Amino acid sequence: MSTETQSEDDDLRERISNFLRRNFPQIQMHGGSAAIQNIDREEGSVTVMLGGACSGCGISPMTIQAIKSRMVQEIPEIEVVHADTGMGGNEGMAGGSTSPSFPGEGSAPDDDEGPQAPF
């Protein structure tokens, strides 16, 4: 890799990091983290790992969707955003099926009493 290419990669990585900090301060404020796992300039893709409190958070799929839609608008080199929370392959961006659930939804019977207490 040439010095110029390395410098361009470092610049893109820095712009993505700044984008995440500037647009999504709530990730860190709520005990989560966002780390860049991979950048493929040729493909125009970036892989971001959400960790800490993001793993298992009910709104992380919405955060992932917001990161994807905003990042491709703000950073022209990025066309595809892959994201994962480490919770069993939650791709979130490219065909992932994770979505938030709400009380009363799903195939449960009509008695919406909620979960049973363990005692």
Side-chain angles (χ1 to χ4, degrees), residues 53-119:
C54 293
S55 296
C57 176
I59 64 167
S60 63
M62 290 179 271
T63 302
I64 289 170
Q65 186 59 39
I67 289 170
K68 177 196 179 232
S69 64
R70 290 184 194 175
M71 189 181 296
V72 297
Q73 290 176 352
E74 190 170 319
I75 303 174
E77 295 92 336
I78 301 300
E79 297 177 22
V80 178
V81 178
H82 304 281
D84 191 354
T85 61
M87 295 296 292
N90 171 19
E91 185 65 21
M93 294 295 124
S97 62
T98 302
S99 62
S101 61
F102 299 97
E105 283 187 351
S107 60
D110 289 335
D111 61 88
D112 190 26
E113 294 181 30
Q116 295 297 315
F119 47 87

Side-chain angles (χ1 to χ4, degrees), residues 6-23:
Q6 181 66 41
S7 177
E8 290 173 2
D9 288 349
D10 290 346
D11 176 60
L12 181 57
R13 181 174 292 274
E14 184 65 26
R15 289 190 300 146
I16 292 168
S17 293
N18 287 338
F19 164 84
L20 291 168
R21 279 192 300 273
R22 185 177 63 251
N23 289 290

